[in-house]
Amino acid sequence: MSKTALITGIAGQDGAYLTELLLEKGYRVFGMDRQAPEDYVENIEHLKDKISLRHGDLMDQVSLMELIEEAQPDEIYNFAAQSFIPLSWKEPVLTGDINGLGVTRILEAIRRVKPDVKFYQASSSELFGKPDTKPQNENTPFNPGTPYGTAKLYGYNITANYRDKLGLFSCSGILYNHESPRRGKEFVTRKITLSAAKIKLGLLDKLHLGNLDAHRDWGYAKDYVRAMWLMLQQDKPDDYVISTGKEHSVRELVEAAFLCLDLDYQKYVVQDPEFFRPVDLNMLVGDSSKARKKLGWKPSVSFEQLIKLMVDSDIKKMEKTL
C-alpha cells in the first residue's frame, strides 16, 4: 500500500526535489503553498499533474487541521518558512511567527487530527550562531545570532517537546547550506551563478557582494532531501545534522562559478558594504557522522560539481531569453 505525504512550502527548492523523490517511490503527494493552486511556480510546474496542491498557511491553525484531515498523510515535511536571513532583521516578528509558532501550529494540528503522522521539521545550522568549536554536531550548544536562527531554535525545541512529552514521531534535520539550480535568486549562491551567466552574455557589468571571506558548508539540495526521507523511515524519531563537513569561502564560490565560464572574477566582483550582514557566521561547518552511521546517508555531489550544475543551468536559462 502506497504512502501519502504532505509537504508544506512545496514550491521551494527542497519541496520540489523531495516531491520528485517521493513520486519515484510511489507516494501520493499533497503540497501546501500560500499561493493559489493555479499559481504554480517554476520549480513544480512539471509536477502539477502528479500532485494535489492546496492552499494553506502556517499562521492559520484551521487551514492546517483541514488539510491534514483531507490528506490523511503518513508523513509531513515542513519546509514552509520565512527563509531569507537578511529579511529576518527587517521583519523579526513575522519571522518568529512563521518559523517558530508556525511549527507549533502544525504540530498541534497533527496531535489533534492524526497523531500517528511522522513529522519532519526543516531546521538549520543557524541554530549554532557563532559556535566555539567546529565542526558542530547534535551535541554542540545552540547560540543563534539572527532572528531567523532564534525562530528556528524555537521550532527545533517545540518539535522535540512534542516528541518527548506527547509521543509524536517528530524530528528535525539540522541542515547546513544546501544549494541547487532551483535555489531562490535572493540567496548568495544563486545570485553569484546567475550574475556570472549574465556577465558572460554581456547582460551585466559588475557583481556587488558582501563579505567574500565568509565561510559556509555548502551541499547539494537533492542529496539533502534524501536524508530527510531517511529520517522518517527510522523506527524511532531523532534529530540529525546534515552537512558535507567541508567549508568554502564566498570567494572560492565566486572563483569557481566564474571559472566555469572562463572568466576572471576579480575583473567583475565588487565588495559592497550594503551587502555585509550585521552578524556573519564564519565557524559553521557540520559533522554529519550520526546521519552517515544511522541513516546510511552521505553526500554524492562535490562543491565544484554543485557550482558547475548551477552555472550550467543559469547560462542555459539566460541564453533562452536572448
Side-chain angles (χ1 to χ4, degrees), residues 32-46:
M32 188 189 91
D33 195 75
R34 292 180 68 187
Q35 298 183 25
E38 63 270 22
D39 292 336
Y40 295 100
V41 295
E42 183 180 0
N43 284 342
I44 57 171
E45 178 66 31
H46 63 297

Side-chain angles (χ1 to χ4, degrees), residues 151-164:
K152 279 290 187 179
L153 179 55
Y154 181 101
Y156 173 90
N157 283 334
I158 201 68
T159 298
N161 292 162
Y162 272 72
R163 175 180 67 228
D164 299 337

